[in-house]
Amino acid sequence: MPQRKGGHLVFDDRCEIEEMLKDGKSFREIARKLGVSPTTVSSYDFCKEFDFYTCERRERAPFVCTQCSKRGFCTYEKARYVASKAQSAHDERLSLAHVGISCKPYELRMMVDTVKKLLSQGQSLQAIWATHSEEFLICERTFYNYMDKGVMGLANIDLPKKVRYAPRKKRAHGEPKMNLEGRTYSDWCALPDDLKVLTVQMDTVEGLRRNSQCILTLHFVRLFFQLHILLKSKDQVQVKAALDALETYCEGTFTDIFPVILTDRGSEFLDFSKIETGLNGSRRTSVFYCDPVNPGQKGAAEKNHVELRKILPKGTDFDGLTFSDVSEASSHVNSYVRAGQKAAPMALASLTLPKSLLESLGVRAIPPDDVIMNPRLLEA
């Protein structure tokens, strides 16, 4: 009998049917022996090549000539049940059921056109499915399979290149340039959980080695959101000026928005007293530093730089960037739906951060299908 209830007949079952039909058993008797329904037995397969002039007895159960008394001299086409042929026919049907594309041509064309457009804008399949899964008739994994088959001219080469991380060179841990006692990563780890959750990770992104300008990034881990601010130079004065501007944009809520900042030991960040001191001379935040040569301790910020690098890849001349360029890039990066998230970072940030802060930095929401995640965004 089938290996499980409701399962398919196996070859041994078909051999049993063949023998019992030769013995003149009815469908009900065979079904009772196999533990299946009579309709399962009666739906066995015959050869597709048949004579249209058939005996009337073949129109009735059991549809075969095995027990017919006229079988020896009848000139009509004979019908008999052969287990091996029945199994082959079943296997063929089962195989065909899993071949082909389970949607209509126009539906496939609409889906492929949408995917092609968004892939050309630098979006990944994960991001595309995060915003279009309800309107697409197949899942992301199935679409990958279609691409492997070359459906509609798409190929894996059309996908954004996977980021390749080169192993970091190990360097000796040098002494900090300033006394960071009480501000180390272990000190940050000792903070209450509510403060660690609200921590903002700070870093910089650079262009060519000869460039003066760089981008200051402030990453809100809980929101997956990152601010990007163009600095005229990578030094302590510019970092202080940028944070002072942010304090103005926050309109009195800077301490609530940036209660704790975690950064690396780059020279531009080491004057913690200037970073922590607000416009009115009072303390506005607390700064902590990652261990030397250990950027993974602020891994969320580092990971989000990957998205910014899609628009500003390494080798980009940062001295040619303007405030508008960085605002545009920041808007698209933060409107890009990440895999596993139901909403873009911008949607979360707009509910949490001051409107004046976002507007002052020129960061706005971009419709999902208009998001461009490649250098074409800033091309004239």
Side-chain angles (χ1 to χ4, degrees), residues 236-248 252-261 271-287:
Q236 296 175 4
V237 174
Q238 286 293 309
V239 171
K240 164 69 172 173
L243 293 174
D244 287 348
L246 291 180
E247 183 178 352
T248 301
T253 62
F254 184 92
T255 301
D256 297 326
I257 303 301
F258 301 91
V260 178
I261 294 177
D271 195 344
F272 51 79
S273 61
K274 289 183 179 179
I275 294 175
E276 292 180 341
T277 303
L279 295 173
N280 61 1
S282 61
R283 185 166 182 163
R284 62 186 175 188
T285 187
S286 297
V287 181

PDB file of all heavy atoms in Angstrom, residues 236-248 252-261 271-287:
ATOM      1  N   GLN A 236      39.242  67.576  14.012  1.00  0.00           N
ATOM      2  CA  GLN A 236      38.428  67.780  15.202  1.00  0.00           C
ATOM      3  C   GLN A 236      37.555  69.025  15.095  1.00  0.00           C
ATOM      4  O   GLN A 236      36.426  69.046  15.603  1.00  0.00           O
ATOM      5  CB  GLN A 236      39.332  67.863  16.435  1.00  0.00           C
ATOM      6  CG  GLN A 236      40.080  66.573  16.725  1.00  0.00           C
ATOM      7  CD  GLN A 236      41.070  66.699  17.863  1.00  0.00           C
ATOM      8  OE1 GLN A 236      41.158  67.741  18.516  1.00  0.00           O
ATOM      9  NE2 GLN A 236      41.829  65.631  18.125  1.00  0.00           N
ATOM     10  N   VAL A 237      38.061  70.054  14.452  1.00  0.00           N
ATOM     11  CA  VAL A 237      37.295  71.295  14.305  1.00  0.00           C
ATOM     12  C   VAL A 237      36.022  71.058  13.505  1.00  0.00           C
ATOM     13  O   VAL A 237      34.935  71.531  13.868  1.00  0.00           O
ATOM     14  CB  VAL A 237      38.159  72.398  13.648  1.00  0.00           C
ATOM     15  CG1 VAL A 237      37.314  73.637  13.361  1.00  0.00           C
ATOM     16  CG2 VAL A 237      39.337  72.755  14.536  1.00  0.00           C
ATOM     17  N   GLN A 238      36.140  70.317  12.395  1.00  0.00           N
ATOM     18  CA  GLN A 238      34.982  70.052  11.544  1.00  0.00           C
ATOM     19  C   GLN A 238      33.975  69.131  12.238  1.00  0.00           C
ATOM     20  O   GLN A 238      32.768  69.315  12.091  1.00  0.00           O
ATOM     21  CB  GLN A 238      35.443  69.428  10.228  1.00  0.00           C
ATOM     22  CG  GLN A 238      36.103  70.409   9.275  1.00  0.00           C
ATOM     23  CD  GLN A 238      35.134  71.448   8.750  1.00  0.00           C
ATOM     24  OE1 GLN A 238      34.063  71.118   8.248  1.00  0.00           O
ATOM     25  NE2 GLN A 238      35.505  72.713   8.879  1.00  0.00           N
ATOM     26  N   VAL A 239      34.451  68.146  12.984  1.00  0.00           N
ATOM     27  CA  VAL A 239      33.547  67.256  13.721  1.00  0.00           C
ATOM     28  C   VAL A 239      32.773  68.049  14.764  1.00  0.00           C
ATOM     29  O   VAL A 239      31.550  67.907  14.908  1.00  0.00           O
ATOM     30  CB  VAL A 239      34.332  66.108  14.380  1.00  0.00           C
ATOM     31  CG1 VAL A 239      33.424  65.309  15.322  1.00  0.00           C
ATOM     32  CG2 VAL A 239      34.909  65.182  13.318  1.00  0.00           C
ATOM     33  N   LYS A 240      33.474  68.913  15.508  1.00  0.00           N
ATOM     34  CA  LYS A 240      32.821  69.763  16.506  1.00  0.00           C
ATOM     35  C   LYS A 240      31.774  70.662  15.860  1.00  0.00           C
ATOM     36  O   LYS A 240      30.648  70.786  16.347  1.00  0.00           O
ATOM     37  CB  LYS A 240      33.892  70.607  17.212  1.00  0.00           C
ATOM     38  CG  LYS A 240      33.386  71.810  18.000  1.00  0.00           C
ATOM     39  CD  LYS A 240      32.602  71.406  19.227  1.00  0.00           C
ATOM     40  CE  LYS A 240      32.309  72.660  20.073  1.00  0.00           C
ATOM     41  NZ  LYS A 240      31.400  72.345  21.206  1.00  0.00           N
ATOM     42  N   ALA A 241      32.122  71.275  14.719  1.00  0.00           N
ATOM     43  CA  ALA A 241      31.192  72.167  14.028  1.00  0.00           C
ATOM     44  C   ALA A 241      29.955  71.417  13.543  1.00  0.00           C
ATOM     45  O   ALA A 241      28.827  71.931  13.617  1.00  0.00           O
ATOM     46  CB  ALA A 241      31.898  72.847  12.852  1.00  0.00           C
ATOM     47  N   ALA A 242      30.146  70.195  13.053  1.00  0.00           N
ATOM     48  CA  ALA A 242      29.017  69.399  12.565  1.00  0.00           C
ATOM     49  C   ALA A 242      28.062  69.053  13.703  1.00  0.00           C
ATOM     50  O   ALA A 242      26.836  69.152  13.561  1.00  0.00           O
ATOM     51  CB  ALA A 242      29.527  68.127  11.893  1.00  0.00           C
ATOM     52  N   LEU A 243      28.612  68.657  14.852  1.00  0.00           N
ATOM     53  CA  LEU A 243      27.756  68.303  15.995  1.00  0.00           C
ATOM     54  C   LEU A 243      27.070  69.537  16.568  1.00  0.00           C
ATOM     55  O   LEU A 243      25.922  69.465  17.034  1.00  0.00           O
ATOM     56  CB  LEU A 243      28.588  67.600  17.061  1.00  0.00           C
ATOM     57  CG  LEU A 243      29.123  66.221  16.649  1.00  0.00           C
ATOM     58  CD1 LEU A 243      30.058  65.664  17.713  1.00  0.00           C
ATOM     59  CD2 LEU A 243      27.980  65.254  16.397  1.00  0.00           C
ATOM     60  N   ASP A 244      27.734  70.676  16.535  1.00  0.00           N
ATOM     61  CA  ASP A 244      27.093  71.926  16.968  1.00  0.00           C
ATOM     62  C   ASP A 244      25.902  72.246  16.063  1.00  0.00           C
ATOM     63  O   ASP A 244      24.847  72.698  16.529  1.00  0.00           O
ATOM     64  CB  ASP A 244      28.095  73.077  16.938  1.00  0.00           C
ATOM     65  CG  ASP A 244      29.115  73.004  18.070  1.00  0.00           C
ATOM     66  OD1 ASP A 244      28.901  72.196  19.000  1.00  0.00           O
ATOM     67  OD2 ASP A 244      30.117  73.744  18.019  1.00  0.00           O
ATOM     68  N   ALA A 245      26.083  72.025  14.747  1.00  0.00           N
ATOM     69  CA  ALA A 245      24.983  72.271  13.807  1.00  0.00           C
ATOM     70  C   ALA A 245      23.820  71.324  14.093  1.00  0.00           C
ATOM     71  O   ALA A 245      22.650  71.735  14.070  1.00  0.00           O
ATOM     72  CB  ALA A 245      25.481  72.100  12.372  1.00  0.00           C
ATOM     73  N   LEU A 246      24.144  70.055  14.371  1.00  0.00           N
ATOM     74  CA  LEU A 246      23.088  69.091  14.692  1.00  0.00           C
ATOM     75  C   LEU A 246      22.326  69.502  15.946  1.00  0.00           C
ATOM     76  O   LEU A 246      21.104  69.335  16.023  1.00  0.00           O
ATOM     77  CB  LEU A 246      23.689  67.696  14.883  1.00  0.00           C
ATOM     78  CG  LEU A 246      24.248  67.000  13.640  1.00  0.00           C
ATOM     79  CD1 LEU A 246      24.802  65.630  14.013  1.00  0.00           C
ATOM     80  CD2 LEU A 246      23.183  66.858  12.565  1.00  0.00           C
ATOM     81  N   GLU A 247      23.051  70.045  16.930  1.00  0.00           N
ATOM     82  CA  GLU A 247      22.378  70.500  18.150  1.00  0.00           C
ATOM     83  C   GLU A 247      21.373  71.597  17.829  1.00  0.00           C
ATOM     84  O   GLU A 247      20.266  71.636  18.379  1.00  0.00           O
ATOM     85  CB  GLU A 247      23.409  70.998  19.166  1.00  0.00           C
ATOM     86  CG  GLU A 247      22.778  71.410  20.490  1.00  0.00           C
ATOM     87  CD  GLU A 247      23.800  71.857  21.527  1.00  0.00           C
ATOM     88  OE1 GLU A 247      25.018  71.712  21.281  1.00  0.00           O
ATOM     89  OE2 GLU A 247      23.359  72.357  22.589  1.00  0.00           O
ATOM     90  N   THR A 248      21.752  72.493  16.927  1.00  0.00           N
ATOM     91  CA  THR A 248      20.828  73.560  16.512  1.00  0.00           C
ATOM     92  C   THR A 248      19.620  72.975  15.793  1.00  0.00           C
ATOM     93  O   THR A 248      18.470  73.366  16.041  1.00  0.00           O
ATOM     94  CB  THR A 248      21.555  74.553  15.587  1.00  0.00           C
ATOM     95  OG1 THR A 248      22.669  75.112  16.273  1.00  0.00           O
ATOM     96  CG2 THR A 248      20.613  75.665  15.156  1.00  0.00           C
ATOM     97  N   GLY A 252      16.788  71.767  20.841  1.00  0.00           N
ATOM     98  CA  GLY A 252      16.692  71.485  22.257  1.00  0.00           C
ATOM     99  C   GLY A 252      16.578  70.020  22.632  1.00  0.00           C
ATOM    100  O   GLY A 252      16.479  69.691  23.820  1.00  0.00           O
ATOM    101  N   THR A 253      16.604  69.114  21.656  1.00  0.00           N
ATOM    102  CA  THR A 253      16.434  67.682  21.955  1.00  0.00           C
ATOM    103  C   THR A 253      17.699  66.872  21.671  1.00  0.00           C
ATOM    104  O   THR A 253      17.648  65.644  21.618  1.00  0.00           O
ATOM    105  CB  THR A 253      15.273  67.094  21.139  1.00  0.00           C
ATOM    106  OG1 THR A 253      15.578  67.212  19.737  1.00  0.00           O
ATOM    107  CG2 THR A 253      13.969  67.802  21.453  1.00  0.00           C
ATOM    108  N   PHE A 254      18.845  67.551  21.502  1.00  0.00           N
ATOM    109  CA  PHE A 254      20.078  66.851  21.141  1.00  0.00           C
ATOM    110  C   PHE A 254      20.421  65.763  22.156  1.00  0.00           C
ATOM    111  O   PHE A 254      20.760  64.633  21.780  1.00  0.00           O
ATOM    112  CB  PHE A 254      21.243  67.840  21.029  1.00  0.00           C
ATOM    113  CG  PHE A 254      22.536  67.205  20.565  1.00  0.00           C
ATOM    114  CD1 PHE A 254      22.858  67.177  19.218  1.00  0.00           C
ATOM    115  CD2 PHE A 254      23.428  66.634  21.471  1.00  0.00           C
ATOM    116  CE1 PHE A 254      24.049  66.598  18.783  1.00  0.00           C
ATOM    117  CE2 PHE A 254      24.614  66.050  21.047  1.00  0.00           C
ATOM    118  CZ  PHE A 254      24.925  66.029  19.697  1.00  0.00           C
ATOM    119  N   THR A 255      20.330  66.076  23.444  1.00  0.00           N
ATOM    120  CA  THR A 255      20.694  65.098  24.475  1.00  0.00           C
ATOM    121  C   THR A 255      19.793  63.879  24.429  1.00  0.00           C
ATOM    122  O   THR A 255      20.226  62.751  24.694  1.00  0.00           O
ATOM    123  CB  THR A 255      20.628  65.753  25.871  1.00  0.00           C
ATOM    124  OG1 THR A 255      21.531  66.870  25.904  1.00  0.00           O
ATOM    125  CG2 THR A 255      21.028  64.763  26.957  1.00  0.00           C
ATOM    126  N   ASP A 256      18.511  64.069  24.074  1.00  0.00           N
ATOM    127  CA  ASP A 256      17.587  62.939  23.961  1.00  0.00           C
ATOM    128  C   ASP A 256      17.890  62.092  22.724  1.00  0.00           C
ATOM    129  O   ASP A 256      17.736  60.867  22.745  1.00  0.00           O
ATOM    130  CB  ASP A 256      16.139  63.441  23.895  1.00  0.00           C
ATOM    131  CG  ASP A 256      15.732  64.179  25.156  1.00  0.00           C
ATOM    132  OD1 ASP A 256      16.217  63.798  26.239  1.00  0.00           O
ATOM    133  OD2 ASP A 256      14.949  65.143  25.055  1.00  0.00           O
ATOM    134  N   ILE A 257      18.305  62.740  21.645  1.00  0.00           N
ATOM    135  CA  ILE A 257      18.570  62.046  20.389  1.00  0.00           C
ATOM    136  C   ILE A 257      19.955  61.396  20.393  1.00  0.00           C
ATOM    137  O   ILE A 257      20.140  60.295  19.870  1.00  0.00           O
ATOM    138  CB  ILE A 257      18.452  63.017  19.195  1.00  0.00           C
ATOM    139  CG1 ILE A 257      17.071  63.673  19.179  1.00  0.00           C
ATOM    140  CG2 ILE A 257      18.691  62.271  17.886  1.00  0.00           C
ATOM    141  CD1 ILE A 257      15.926  62.710  19.077  1.00  0.00           C
ATOM    142  N   PHE A 258      20.949  62.068  21.000  1.00  0.00           N
ATOM    143  CA  PHE A 258      22.333  61.571  21.021  1.00  0.00           C
ATOM    144  C   PHE A 258      22.837  61.447  22.467  1.00  0.00           C
ATOM    145  O   PHE A 258      23.811  62.115  22.847  1.00  0.00           O
ATOM    146  CB  PHE A 258      23.249  62.528  20.252  1.00  0.00           C
ATOM    147  CG  PHE A 258      22.881  62.727  18.809  1.00  0.00           C
ATOM    148  CD1 PHE A 258      22.019  63.743  18.429  1.00  0.00           C
ATOM    149  CD2 PHE A 258      23.407  61.908  17.816  1.00  0.00           C
ATOM    150  CE1 PHE A 258      21.689  63.953  17.097  1.00  0.00           C
ATOM    151  CE2 PHE A 258      23.082  62.107  16.482  1.00  0.00           C
ATOM    152  CZ  PHE A 258      22.208  63.125  16.116  1.00  0.00           C
ATOM    153  N   PRO A 259      22.209  60.636  23.304  1.00  0.00           N
ATOM    154  CA  PRO A 259      22.652  60.539  24.706  1.00  0.00           C
ATOM    155  C   PRO A 259      24.030  59.918  24.855  1.00  0.00           C
ATOM    156  O   PRO A 259      24.801  60.283  25.745  1.00  0.00           O
ATOM    157  CB  PRO A 259      21.577  59.671  25.353  1.00  0.00           C
ATOM    158  CG  PRO A 259      21.038  58.842  24.230  1.00  0.00           C
ATOM    159  CD  PRO A 259      21.080  59.728  23.025  1.00  0.00           C
ATOM    160  N   VAL A 260      24.352  58.937  23.973  1.00  0.00           N
ATOM    161  CA  VAL A 260      25.643  58.245  24.012  1.00  0.00           C
ATOM    162  C   VAL A 260      26.151  58.098  22.586  1.00  0.00           C
ATOM    163  O   VAL A 260      25.393  57.741  21.674  1.00  0.00           O
ATOM    164  CB  VAL A 260      25.524  56.850  24.670  1.00  0.00           C
ATOM    165  CG1 VAL A 260      26.868  56.141  24.640  1.00  0.00           C
ATOM    166  CG2 VAL A 260      25.023  56.970  26.099  1.00  0.00           C
ATOM    167  N   ILE A 261      27.442  58.376  22.379  1.00  0.00           N
ATOM    168  CA  ILE A 261      28.066  58.207  21.072  1.00  0.00           C
ATOM    169  C   ILE A 261      29.222  57.223  21.208  1.00  0.00           C
ATOM    170  O   ILE A 261      30.066  57.356  22.100  1.00  0.00           O
ATOM    171  CB  ILE A 261      28.586  59.549  20.513  1.00  0.00           C
ATOM    172  CG1 ILE A 261      27.410  60.491  20.229  1.00  0.00           C
ATOM    173  CG2 ILE A 261      29.406  59.324  19.245  1.00  0.00           C
ATOM    174  CD1 ILE A 261      27.835  61.878  19.749  1.00  0.00           C
ATOM    175  N   ASP A 271      39.113  64.440  20.688  1.00  0.00           N
ATOM    176  CA  ASP A 271      38.871  65.540  21.627  1.00  0.00           C
ATOM    177  C   ASP A 271      37.440  65.415  22.159  1.00  0.00           C
ATOM    178  O   ASP A 271      36.528  66.129  21.758  1.00  0.00           O
ATOM    179  CB  ASP A 271      39.082  66.887  20.938  1.00  0.00           C
ATOM    180  CG  ASP A 271      39.211  68.038  21.941  1.00  0.00           C
ATOM    181  OD1 ASP A 271      38.830  67.833  23.120  1.00  0.00           O
ATOM    182  OD2 ASP A 271      39.689  69.108  21.551  1.00  0.00           O
ATOM    183  N   PHE A 272      37.249  64.473  23.087  1.00  0.00           N
ATOM    184  CA  PHE A 272      35.909  64.173  23.580  1.00  0.00           C
ATOM    185  C   PHE A 272      35.288  65.344  24.329  1.00  0.00           C
ATOM    186  O   PHE A 272      34.061  65.490  24.383  1.00  0.00           O
ATOM    187  CB  PHE A 272      35.928  62.931  24.476  1.00  0.00           C
ATOM    188  CG  PHE A 272      36.946  62.956  25.574  1.00  0.00           C
ATOM    189  CD1 PHE A 272      36.731  63.669  26.746  1.00  0.00           C
ATOM    190  CD2 PHE A 272      38.133  62.260  25.434  1.00  0.00           C
ATOM    191  CE1 PHE A 272      37.678  63.688  27.752  1.00  0.00           C
ATOM    192  CE2 PHE A 272      39.091  62.266  26.439  1.00  0.00           C
ATOM    193  CZ  PHE A 272      38.865  62.991  27.613  1.00  0.00           C
ATOM    194  N   SER A 273      36.116  66.192  24.925  1.00  0.00           N
ATOM    195  CA  SER A 273      35.560  67.318  25.679  1.00  0.00           C
ATOM    196  C   SER A 273      34.804  68.277  24.762  1.00  0.00           C
ATOM    197  O   SER A 273      33.738  68.797  25.129  1.00  0.00           O
ATOM    198  CB  SER A 273      36.683  68.066  26.422  1.00  0.00           C
ATOM    199  OG  SER A 273      37.630  68.593  25.499  1.00  0.00           O
ATOM    200  N   LYS A 274      35.328  68.504  23.553  1.00  0.00           N
ATOM    201  CA  LYS A 274      34.635  69.386  22.612  1.00  0.00           C
ATOM    202  C   LYS A 274      33.355  68.728  22.090  1.00  0.00           C
ATOM    203  O   LYS A 274      32.336  69.399  21.894  1.00  0.00           O
ATOM    204  CB  LYS A 274      35.555  69.730  21.443  1.00  0.00           C
ATOM    205  CG  LYS A 274      36.694  70.673  21.813  1.00  0.00           C
ATOM    206  CD  LYS A 274      37.506  71.026  20.581  1.00  0.00           C
ATOM    207  CE  LYS A 274      38.630  71.998  20.938  1.00  0.00           C
ATOM    208  NZ  LYS A 274      39.456  72.343  19.747  1.00  0.00           N
ATOM    209  N   ILE A 275      33.435  67.415  21.848  1.00  0.00           N
ATOM    210  CA  ILE A 275      32.251  66.706  21.347  1.00  0.00           C
ATOM    211  C   ILE A 275      31.141  66.711  22.384  1.00  0.00           C
ATOM    212  O   ILE A 275      29.966  66.910  22.074  1.00  0.00           O
ATOM    213  CB  ILE A 275      32.623  65.255  20.962  1.00  0.00           C
ATOM    214  CG1 ILE A 275      33.577  65.253  19.775  1.00  0.00           C
ATOM    215  CG2 ILE A 275      31.368  64.443  20.629  1.00  0.00           C
ATOM    216  CD1 ILE A 275      34.094  63.887  19.391  1.00  0.00           C
ATOM    217  N   GLU A 276      31.513  66.539  23.650  1.00  0.00           N
ATOM    218  CA  GLU A 276      30.514  66.418  24.715  1.00  0.00           C
ATOM    219  C   GLU A 276      29.947  67.764  25.159  1.00  0.00           C
ATOM    220  O   GLU A 276      28.856  67.814  25.742  1.00  0.00           O
ATOM    221  CB  GLU A 276      31.135  65.707  25.920  1.00  0.00           C
ATOM    222  CG  GLU A 276      31.466  64.242  25.657  1.00  0.00           C
ATOM    223  CD  GLU A 276      32.070  63.562  26.854  1.00  0.00           C
ATOM    224  OE1 GLU A 276      32.569  64.275  27.762  1.00  0.00           O
ATOM    225  OE2 GLU A 276      32.053  62.314  26.915  1.00  0.00           O
ATOM    226  N   THR A 277      30.653  68.845  24.894  1.00  0.00           N
ATOM    227  CA  THR A 277      30.223  70.160  25.371  1.00  0.00           C
ATOM    228  C   THR A 277      29.296  70.829  24.361  1.00  0.00           C
ATOM    229  O   THR A 277      29.640  70.988  23.189  1.00  0.00           O
ATOM    230  CB  THR A 277      31.438  71.068  25.624  1.00  0.00           C
ATOM    231  OG1 THR A 277      32.314  70.429  26.552  1.00  0.00           O
ATOM    232  CG2 THR A 277      30.987  72.407  26.193  1.00  0.00           C
ATOM    233  N   GLY A 278      28.128  71.236  24.852  1.00  0.00           N
ATOM    234  CA  GLY A 278      27.134  71.848  23.986  1.00  0.00           C
ATOM    235  C   GLY A 278      27.352  73.328  23.770  1.00  0.00           C
ATOM    236  O   GLY A 278      28.315  73.927  24.268  1.00  0.00           O
ATOM    237  N   LEU A 279      26.452  73.935  23.009  1.00  0.00           N
ATOM    238  CA  LEU A 279      26.562  75.344  22.655  1.00  0.00           C
ATOM    239  C   LEU A 279      26.472  76.258  23.870  1.00  0.00           C
ATOM    240  O   LEU A 279      27.022  77.360  23.876  1.00  0.00           O
ATOM    241  CB  LEU A 279      25.468  75.703  21.634  1.00  0.00           C
ATOM    242  CG  LEU A 279      25.577  75.003  20.276  1.00  0.00           C
ATOM    243  CD1 LEU A 279      24.357  75.301  19.421  1.00  0.00           C
ATOM    244  CD2 LEU A 279      26.850  75.427  19.550  1.00  0.00           C
ATOM    245  N   ASN A 280      25.762  75.800  24.895  1.00  0.00           N
ATOM    246  CA  ASN A 280      25.627  76.614  26.101  1.00  0.00           C
ATOM    247  C   ASN A 280      26.661  76.274  27.169  1.00  0.00           C
ATOM    248  O   ASN A 280      26.578  76.740  28.306  1.00  0.00           O
ATOM    249  CB  ASN A 280      24.223  76.476  26.681  1.00  0.00           C
ATOM    250  CG  ASN A 280      23.904  75.037  27.072  1.00  0.00           C
ATOM    251  OD1 ASN A 280      24.739  74.138  26.922  1.00  0.00           O
ATOM    252  ND2 ASN A 280      22.692  74.821  27.569  1.00  0.00           N
ATOM    253  N   GLY A 281      27.628  75.420  26.817  1.00  0.00           N
ATOM    254  CA  GLY A 281      28.691  75.073  27.745  1.00  0.00           C
ATOM    255  C   GLY A 281      28.396  73.872  28.624  1.00  0.00           C
ATOM    256  O   GLY A 281      29.268  73.415  29.365  1.00  0.00           O
ATOM    257  N   SER A 282      27.167  73.353  28.557  1.00  0.00           N
ATOM    258  CA  SER A 282      26.810  72.194  29.383  1.00  0.00           C
ATOM    259  C   SER A 282      27.082  70.896  28.622  1.00  0.00           C
ATOM    260  O   SER A 282      27.270  70.900  27.404  1.00  0.00           O
ATOM    261  CB  SER A 282      25.342  72.264  29.786  1.00  0.00           C
ATOM    262  OG  SER A 282      24.510  72.238  28.637  1.00  0.00           O
ATOM    263  N   ARG A 283      27.073  69.804  29.352  1.00  0.00           N
ATOM    264  CA  ARG A 283      27.342  68.500  28.735  1.00  0.00           C
ATOM    265  C   ARG A 283      26.104  68.035  27.955  1.00  0.00           C
ATOM    266  O   ARG A 283      25.005  68.002  28.491  1.00  0.00           O
ATOM    267  CB  ARG A 283      27.705  67.468  29.801  1.00  0.00           C
ATOM    268  CG  ARG A 283      28.123  66.125  29.251  1.00  0.00           C
ATOM    269  CD  ARG A 283      28.777  65.299  30.322  1.00  0.00           C
ATOM    270  NE  ARG A 283      29.230  64.009  29.821  1.00  0.00           N
ATOM    271  CZ  ARG A 283      30.117  63.239  30.457  1.00  0.00           C
ATOM    272  NH1 ARG A 283      30.627  63.630  31.610  1.00  0.00           N
ATOM    273  NH2 ARG A 283      30.495  62.091  29.928  1.00  0.00           N
ATOM    274  N   ARG A 284      26.310  67.660  26.705  1.00  0.00           N
ATOM    275  CA  ARG A 284      25.177  67.274  25.859  1.00  0.00           C
ATOM    276  C   ARG A 284      25.162  65.790  25.513  1.00  0.00           C
ATOM    277  O   ARG A 284      24.138  65.261  25.053  1.00  0.00           O
ATOM    278  CB  ARG A 284      25.183  68.082  24.570  1.00  0.00           C
ATOM    279  CG  ARG A 284      26.434  67.876  23.691  1.00  0.00           C
ATOM    280  CD  ARG A 284      26.443  68.822  22.514  1.00  0.00           C
ATOM    281  NE  ARG A 284      27.686  68.703  21.734  1.00  0.00           N
ATOM    282  CZ  ARG A 284      27.999  69.537  20.732  1.00  0.00           C
ATOM    283  NH1 ARG A 284      27.189  70.525  20.406  1.00  0.00           N
ATOM    284  NH2 ARG A 284      29.135  69.375  20.075  1.00  0.00           N
ATOM    285  N   THR A 285      26.298  65.087  25.680  1.00  0.00           N
ATOM    286  CA  THR A 285      26.358  63.662  25.346  1.00  0.00           C
ATOM    287  C   THR A 285      27.546  63.030  26.054  1.00  0.00           C
ATOM    288  O   THR A 285      28.346  63.740  26.701  1.00  0.00           O
ATOM    289  CB  THR A 285      26.499  63.460  23.815  1.00  0.00           C
ATOM    290  OG1 THR A 285      26.394  62.074  23.507  1.00  0.00           O
ATOM    291  CG2 THR A 285      27.821  63.993  23.301  1.00  0.00           C
ATOM    292  N   SER A 286      27.670  61.711  25.955  1.00  0.00           N
ATOM    293  CA  SER A 286      28.816  60.979  26.505  1.00  0.00           C
ATOM    294  C   SER A 286      29.459  60.182  25.380  1.00  0.00           C
ATOM    295  O   SER A 286      28.759  59.477  24.638  1.00  0.00           O
ATOM    296  CB  SER A 286      28.375  60.034  27.625  1.00  0.00           C
ATOM    297  OG  SER A 286      27.824  60.757  28.717  1.00  0.00           O
ATOM    298  N   VAL A 287      30.789  60.287  25.263  1.00  0.00           N
ATOM    299  CA  VAL A 287      31.505  59.643  24.165  1.00  0.00           C
ATOM    300  C   VAL A 287      32.306  58.462  24.690  1.00  0.00           C
ATOM    301  O   VAL A 287      32.986  58.564  25.717  1.00  0.00           O
ATOM    302  CB  VAL A 287      32.443  60.638  23.460  1.00  0.00           C
ATOM    303  CG1 VAL A 287      33.162  59.953  22.294  1.00  0.00           C
ATOM    304  CG2 VAL A 287      31.666  61.841  22.953  1.00  0.00           C
TER     305      VAL A 287
END
